Amino acid sequence: MGFSQITIGRTQELVSAKFPAELDRLYVQEFFTRIGQGSQLLRAAETSAARHGADVMWLTPWAHNARALQFYARQAYAGRGSTSFLMDSEAHENRVLCKQLGR
């Protein structure tokens, strides 16, 4: 159906946190989208990160992925700015989003 992958302790210059965690990937097969699977996977990733001591979860979705940006906004992720990555010598803009994790 899908999976999530996090990295505990990875920092991002636009994210203020004592001990951050990055959401590296959140993938849900198309057949399982829009039925709550992504939200469940994200909550499980947030819970795991918090159990390992993270106070903030952050991620960098592609700036033109409106569906992903809307999803993360619904999950209480806030924008902190933009960053970019190079692919084949071409810069691609990503948004930096983050969320405080509860203890």
Side-chain angles (χ1 to χ4, degrees):
M1 292 186 336
F3 70 94
S4 63
Q5 181 180 8
I6 61 175
T7 301
I8 304 295
R10 184 174 292 152
T11 61
Q12 209 296 331
E13 63 186 27
L14 297 175
V15 175
S16 176
K18 291 180 182 177
F19 193 64
E22 180 183 12
L23 178 65
D24 295 305
R25 285 173 194 80
L26 178 64
Y27 175 77
V28 178
Q29 290 180 342
E30 186 62 33
F31 181 80
F32 297 101
T33 61
R34 302 185 191 271
I35 60 170
Q37 296 301 314
S39 298
Q40 289 179 12
L41 283 169
L42 182 58
R43 279 195 303 277
E46 291 169 350
T47 299
S48 179
R51 284 185 183 150
H52 285 90
D55 58 336
V56 171
M57 176 87 81
W58 65 273
L59 66 144
T60 56
W62 184 44
H64 300 288
N65 187 343
R67 186 170 163 187
L69 295 173
Q70 291 167 1
F71 169 78
Y72 290 113
R74 287 192 307 273
Q75 308 304 315
Y77 280 78
R80 291 293 181 255
S82 296
T83 188
S84 62
F85 71 96
L86 290 176
M87 184 180 349
D88 295 328
S89 301
E90 185 176 330
H92 298 271
E93 181 186 9
N94 282 358
R95 298 292 161 82
V96 178
L97 307 178
C98 70
K99 178 180 178 178
Q100 288 290 134
L101 300 178
R103 298 276 173 172

